[in-house]
Amino acid sequence: MEREDALAGLDPEQREVAEAVRGPVCVLAGAGTGKTRAITHRIAHAVRTGVVDAQSVLAVTFTTRAAGELKQRLRSLGAHGVQARTFHAAALRQLTYFWPRVIGGEPPRVVESKLPLLIEACRTVRRNPDRGELRDVAAEIEWAKVTQTVPEEYAALAAKAGRTPPIPAQEVAHLYEAYETLRRQRHLVDFETILELTAAVMTEHEEVASEIRRQYRYFVVDEYQDVNPLQKLLLDTWLGGRDDICVVGDPNQTIYSFSGATPRYLTNFAVEHPSATVVKLVRDYRSTPQVVGLANSVLAKARTPHRLELVAQRPEGPKPVFAECDDEPAEAGAVAARVKELIAQGVPSREIAVLFRVNAQSELYEQAFTQVGVPYLLRGAERFFERPEVRQAVVLLRGAARSANDAEPLAQAVHGILAGIGLTAEAPGGGAARERWESLNALAELAEDIAAEGGDLPRFVAELERRATEQHAPPIEGVTLASLHAAKGLEWDAVFLVGLTDGMLPIIYAETPEQVEEERRLLYVGITRARAHLHLSWALARSPGGRKARRPSRFLDGLTGGATPAGRPGSPVRDRKERRPGQARLAAPISCRVCGKTLTVGAEQKLGRCATCPADYDQELLERLKLWRTKAAKEAKVPTYVVFTDVTLQALAERVPTNEEDLLAIAGIGRVKLERYGEAVLEICRGGEVT
């Protein structure tokens, strides 16, 4: 590979990155600006010019899929031998290698999930939380560990950080301590402990640190805006005071602050490294000017000093579509109909995505696509190579490869094997059978690609094993249904952003200005997933016939133009004024309904009475409301207090509202919660069943 080959086809800014072969280097790369191209060409150029040996490079990213993509691109550029791994994979490899030498005995076993140990920990502290609460507690423990917060400090530091744990903070601390005790007793490590122990082994054993630092002296870190304090600690330990490091990230795509990630390592890189080369990539090669223009407009009101304004490089495309619907089923139906039109116009279903804020929103779209006969797949569910039918197919193909008949063409052999476990000439209508068929068909199409390159069955099986290691799934026909968080790093020809109402985006529990701004960036991430077709929609009511009290997301204020309600021509959407984050609302004083005293304490205002004043309430109704709240929280995948606090449930049981006005009279129940939960709560108060 000649010098120009590693630099060919790069734009001026990408070339500047590639030619900055010595660190420290900071690349601020906007969405769709070719950051992976820039950093892989930089590594290839450094290897080709003798600046570094390929084996001395460690490229670190956050997902196995991204690491696999880096490896694939580096191989195509001739940079063989470069290690591209996730933080956890790189650390686990080092920890496992050095453990017998410096610790002794077998390395600890990795736990994939904290939940089994947490269930045991609950027994030791005599607590019986539901599974939804346990998931939230696990997230709190992960935050504590990545921020290096020990159990005895959790309550104070969680309060200082403005966190709202699902159960009292002191109880989280007790569970955290019990979880850590069990983990150590069982000789187990979780993902955070892997990083922590690797850094500790290097710090305490100089010979280990020296060996690792001799091996790796050239570092590249992708998605640097998502680095958390524990990952930064390990990275600094790897570097050992050296500065041959290139970091790449986009402050506009910081959407994981809730898990401990912070963009300050990216935005302060030049402060930490005064001699750093800083390059901005803003030429967007992914999206049309129309999509890029909307993305820039959404961020124009963002409260950040590090905003990257994208410059579109693609030809003109269709304008983004804004659609207002009467209710959520109508919204899902309109999206499914439009998706079917796009497929008829030649857009492959695998190049279409429907993105939502929380996973619970997917059900309506699964139903709508099934009704119109459009295949779909849920992202964030099982990984492709972990699906039962794929595992079964790989076992059969591996066995066949050991006794392969060279006379039989590869594609024919694979089709014959897959036909025996369910691959048919025609796809089934939908549901689980269709998903299974799509998996097998993806394997068959991959076999045809390998056959066209002259490959045989053993080579095909080797390719499957490589892809399984790197989580490099073959493309599957079907519309992608995914959360906005799960969509990060991906792109499609057509993207549908759904459920864009205040209370959903921004989510109802985003209360601080910082949390609201992160929700704005989440919308920006969703918009920038689209190459050409972009459809944004919202529903005024939850269900048909419901009160149409919802309003479009405040992030769309001033941007929807003359958006037309879906199915109702005319009636343009009016722009709404945005209330500034943190701006107070003036409220009338609330008096105790028993003694008439003005209430000043929040809990008393919600109850509508002094805490010391007597009040009768229906205990059975309170229990039924708690049962409903637990189910609603599980469905929305949020803590129970986000639905309604205990005090609000107590107020409902005392006052037994009969209509929407009664509900709104209870402090803490506003229009958003009325629209989302009002019908269900009123039905329970009337004696209806908990559904």
Side-chain angles (χ1 to χ4, degrees), residues 455-475:
D456 55 11
L457 191 55
R459 178 183 162 188
F460 177 60
V461 170
E463 174 68 9
L464 288 180
E465 290 173 346
R466 180 189 71 78
R467 284 171 172 260
T469 300
E470 298 177 358
Q471 290 300 326
H472 180 196

Side-chain angles (χ1 to χ4, degrees), residues 28-39:
L28 299 173
T33 57
K35 67 181 177 70
T36 305
R37 179 179 180 83
I39 60 175

Side-chain angles (χ1 to χ4, degrees), residues 593-626:
R593 54 192 165 85
V594 179
C595 70
K597 177 184 174 183
T598 299
L599 303 175
T600 58
V601 179
E604 293 181 341
Q605 290 178 339
K606 284 190 176 183
L607 286 173
R609 63 173 173 82
C610 300
T612 54
C613 284
D616 294 328
Y617 69 93
D618 186 334
Q619 181 65 42
E620 182 185 352
L621 173 58
L622 180 60
E623 293 304 319
R624 289 167 62 232
L625 285 168
K626 287 183 176 180

Side-chain angles (χ1 to χ4, degrees), residues 305-335:
H306 302 285
R307 185 167 65 89
L308 294 172
E309 184 159 352
L310 301 175
V311 181
Q313 304 296 301
R314 287 190 57 181
E316 297 287 321
K319 291 181 179 180
V321 174
F322 298 88
E324 185 174 273
C325 302
D326 286 338
D327 50 67
E328 289 182 1
E331 183 182 10
V335 167

